[in-house]
Amino acid sequence: MELLKERILRDGRAAEGGVLKVDSFLNHQIDISLLQEIGKEFRRRFPQPEINKILTIEASGIGIAAIAAQYFGNADVVFAKKTRSKNLDGELYTAPVRSYTRGEMFEVQVARRYLTPGDHVLVIDDFLAHGQALKGLMEIIRQSGAHLVGCGIVIEKGFQSGGRQLREQGVNLQSLAIVDSISDGVVSFREEA
Amino acid sequence: MELLKERILRDGRAAEGGVLKVDSFLNHQIDISLLQEIGKEFRRRFPQPEINKILTIEASGIGIAAIAAQYFGNADVVFAKKTRSKNLDGELYTAPVRSYTRGEMFEVQVARRYLTPGDHVLVIDDFLAHGQALKGLMEIIRQSGAHLVGCGIVIEKGFQSGGRQLREQGVNLQSLAIVDSISDGVVSFREEA
């Protein structure tokens, strides 16, 4: 997605350890006009009319999923939680996730009543690196019996293994920008994305 | 806001201790069509053309703020973080917040570069009870020198003191539904909201 790549080159900041900061437009301050274009692009890549639910994970995924849902006939958004919350009661689906950035394990959690075998689910998130969060969400979808239509990612770190692993498993993974390297502050993209 | 009150009566669930569960449409599963109506209502109540930024706090506020921003000329959204994150670097505004529901203190954090004296800020959040999170966000706005236009809340718990305190301080606080009591599973609203 050219608009996104241009924005990453203009406003992203490459930091040590393969970190790409996009907090000026994606995951701290949010550019709503850009999110609208991202939502339209996800719809273009996932035209399946049966999609009725978008699953994401707190926190940065929520705004992206909410804006995108408008281009999916206002599909319901469900955001998985990372901590036990008083907002969650009743039966839960849970899956363990390793956070590489925080160096710890946590659990993703979704109330069972919001994912059912009749649902056709698109998973959306801001970043894909090792793919741990995405695998947790997919495990929850598997437990629920819902149908996974695909995964839409805003920025994939192509130099980490999550995307390759998921594609090898046959997941319909669509990343709007794939960063193949961050070297000396220079971001390089994979051509096809 | 009648549509919201009807939805709370229909799909909200009153639990022990004055807890109102709205996880089927607001803070776990999200009804995007309802959020659009909420966004329009916030615009009606905050018509000030100078609003250029919407400040909220992770996680449940993000979807509400993102959808609402579309009715404010796609104003930028900034969401405060509750934990130190690798997405946050550089200078931060911070304010301590007491969480009554979790029984602990945490810090709300916003990168300084995203709130400046030229900003006219609308604060949006899903719930107002004791008002601790809101006061933390207002303290951050004060530190930044930005102008606070007002606070838009989806559901205020009128039987807790946050809303009264903020109105007494002269804050332009607009709550779309004010719950005055939750008793034996019955939710009662204040008339004016």
Side-chain angles (χ1 to χ4, degrees):
Chain A
M1 181 181 173
E2 283 310 314
L3 182 74
L4 174 64
K5 292 188 204 175
E6 288 165 14
R7 188 60 177 274
I8 293 168
L9 291 177
R10 195 182 85 197
D11 293 333
R13 291 172 297 127
E16 299 128 56
V19 172
L20 176 63
K21 305 263 184 194
V22 289
D23 56 338
S24 67
F25 58 93
L26 194 64
N27 54 22
H28 183 32
Q29 182 169 254
I30 305 174
D31 179 334
I32 299 298
S33 301
L34 177 66
L35 251 51
Q36 290 169 336
E37 296 307 315
I38 285 171
K40 291 175 197 169
E41 179 68 15
F42 280 139
R43 171 85 272 188
R44 199 180 66 75
R45 296 187 184 214
F46 295 103
Q48 295 86 340
E50 66 270 23
I51 295 171
N52 72 316
K53 199 154 278 186
I54 294 180
L55 178 65
T56 188
I57 184 165
E58 61 181 3
S60 306
I62 299 173
I64 300 162
I67 297 289
Q70 299 176 125
Y71 306 99
F72 289 83
N74 283 359
D76 279 332
V77 170
V78 175
F79 65 90
K81 310 222 177 196
K82 293 177 180 175
T83 55
R84 215 43 84 118
S85 159
K86 73 176 172 65
N87 291 333
L88 282 186
D89 62 353
E91 297 286 305
L92 302 177
Y93 299 115
T94 66
V97 170
R98 175 184 302 279
S99 167
Y100 281 85
T101 49
R102 291 179 196 257
E104 60 190 25
M105 298 292 296
F106 64 93
E107 257 193 348
V108 289
Q109 305 168 15
V110 172
R112 284 180 181 243
R113 64 170 74 89
Y114 304 129
L115 271 185
T116 64
D119 285 326
H120 293 259
V121 184
L122 173 64
V123 176
I124 281 183
D125 206 2
D126 58 340
F127 267 97
L128 168 60
H130 298 282
Q132 295 298 308
L134 214 52
K135 288 172 195 168
L137 295 177
M138 289 168 54
E139 165 59 19
I140 279 175
I141 292 171
R142 190 197 63 73
Q143 290 174 30
S144 76
H147 179 72
L148 171 68
V149 176
C151 298
I153 297 294
V154 180
I155 302 174
E156 177 182 337
K157 292 182 171 175
F159 54 91
Q160 288 168 337
S161 61
R164 181 177 51 73
Q165 288 169 24
L166 290 166
R167 289 187 183 92
E168 285 174 3
Q169 290 170 28
V171 174
N172 182 2
L173 172 64
Q174 297 284 335
S175 300
L176 305 191
I178 301 179
V179 175
D180 260 345
S181 67
I182 304 174
S183 175
D184 291 334
V186 178
V187 174
S188 301
F189 294 106
R190 194 174 299 176
E191 274 305 317
E192 79 249 39
Chain B
M1 181 180 173
E2 283 309 314
L3 182 74
L4 174 64
K5 292 188 204 174
E6 288 164 14
R7 187 61 176 272
I8 293 169
L9 291 177
R10 195 183 84 195
D11 293 332
R13 290 172 297 127
E16 299 127 57
V19 172
L20 176 63
K21 304 261 184 196
V22 289
D23 57 338
S24 67
F25 58 94
L26 193 64
N27 54 22
H28 183 32
Q29 183 168 255
I30 305 173
D31 180 334
I32 299 299
S33 300
L34 178 66
L35 251 52
Q36 289 168 338
E37 296 307 314
I38 285 171
K40 291 175 197 169
E41 179 68 15
F42 279 139
R43 170 87 273 190
R44 198 180 68 74
R45 296 188 184 212
F46 295 102
Q48 295 87 340
E50 66 270 23
I51 295 171
N52 72 316
K53 200 155 277 187
I54 295 180
L55 178 65
T56 188
I57 184 165
E58 61 181 6
S60 305
I62 299 174
I64 299 163
I67 297 289
Q70 299 176 127
Y71 305 99
F72 290 82
N74 283 0
D76 279 332
V77 170
V78 175
F79 64 90
K81 309 220 178 198
K82 294 178 180 174
T83 55
R84 214 44 85 117
S85 159
K86 74 175 173 66
N87 291 333
L88 281 186
D89 61 353
E91 296 287 306
L92 301 177
Y93 299 116
T94 67
V97 170
R98 175 183 303 279
S99 168
Y100 281 84
T101 49
R102 291 178 195 257
E104 59 189 26
M105 299 292 295
F106 64 94
E107 258 192 347
V108 288
Q109 305 168 16
V110 172
R112 284 180 180 242
R113 63 170 75 90
Y114 304 129
L115 272 185
T116 65
D119 285 324
H120 293 259
V121 184
L122 173 63
V123 175
I124 282 184
D125 206 1
D126 59 340
F127 268 96
L128 168 61
H130 298 281
Q132 294 297 309
L134 215 52
K135 287 172 195 167
L137 294 178
M138 289 168 55
E139 165 59 18
I140 279 175
I141 292 170
R142 190 198 63 73
Q143 291 174 30
S144 75
H147 178 72
L148 171 69
V149 177
C151 299
I153 298 293
V154 180
I155 302 174
E156 177 181 338
K157 291 182 172 177
F159 54 91
Q160 287 166 338
S161 61
R164 182 177 51 73
Q165 289 170 23
L166 290 166
R167 288 187 184 92
E168 284 174 5
Q169 291 171 27
V171 174
N172 182 2
L173 171 65
Q174 298 285 334
S175 300
L176 304 190
I178 302 180
V179 175
D180 260 345
S181 67
I182 303 174
S183 175
D184 291 334
V186 177
V187 174
S188 301
F189 295 106
R190 195 173 299 176
E191 274 306 316
E192 79 248 40

